[in-house]
Amino acid sequence: MEQSVRKIISLFTKKVQSSYQKLLQENFKLLDENQIRRIAGLLNVSRRVFVYGMGSSGNVAEEFQLRFMRIGLDVTAVTDSQMIQMSAALVEERMLVIAISLSGTTREIVGKVSASQKSRNAKVIFITANPAPETAARCDEVLRVAYLKNLDTGTKISPQFSILVMIDILYSYYFANDSYFKAQKYKETLSAIQGKHKGAMEDAEKGEDPE
């Protein structure tokens, strides 16, 4: 019985491994390093960055904010449909919008972002596996990511994986541009987080409520 269970688990594990390997290979086939450099350059010159995503793409937007904010980027993840609409109406020149939709069909992302931001002279980057030509035409950059059938449902592996891989690569290029400054910013933000955590621990020991 135990041997049979081990075989089943092994089969499931191999299927997951195979899916990730295939997705990773496809992602690197799509990778255009010159495009990554251009996008990293846009991040460097933009005075503010908004990252839009909903559902699993919203999780990626929040991860993007967490990582890039730690190295000094003024970035805000917007993951609510009404907030996306309001934010889209306020962006202006020298701002950057990064829209994330794995399927490329999320109405709140495609309809409200690509057209309105472009008309306000903000730069627009669309991260997707399935860019419609009319949407791509409205964006400054379309960053293609790999896609497997049923990936967006999350039934086998995490839908965000292919997007996160591209963000990791983009992070490396962005960090490499003035790495000293960004390393210092990382130390400052890390120190702030640790300081707040230490203060909360001390308040707890004193019986005080943390803020």
Side-chain angles (χ1 to χ4, degrees), residues 199-211:
M201 291 291 289
E202 290 175 350
D203 288 342
E205 289 174 358
K206 295 175 183 177
E208 299 176 1
D209 292 328
E211 293 181 0

Side-chain angles (χ1 to χ4, degrees), residues 46-87:
S46 298
R47 61 185 176 89
R48 192 171 185 188
V49 178
F50 292 97
V51 188
Y52 297 159
M54 298 182 66
S56 61
S57 294
N59 295 334
V60 175
E62 291 173 345
E63 173 68 13
F64 189 105
Q65 174 184 301
L66 178 64
R67 295 195 64 192
F68 283 80
M69 183 180 285
R70 284 184 173 182
I71 53 175
L73 186 67
D74 186 355
V75 53
T76 302
V78 189
T79 60
D80 174 80
S81 60
Q82 290 187 347
M83 292 299 293
I84 289 173
Q85 293 179 42
M86 287 189 285
S87 174

Side-chain angles (χ1 to χ4, degrees), residues 1 16 23 74 85 90 102 109 117 119 138 180:
M1 180 66 180
V16 171
L23 199 58
D74 186 355
Q85 293 179 42
L90 296 174
L102 185 64
I109 302 298
Q117 260 64 6
S119 67
R138 299 186 187 113
Y180 177 79

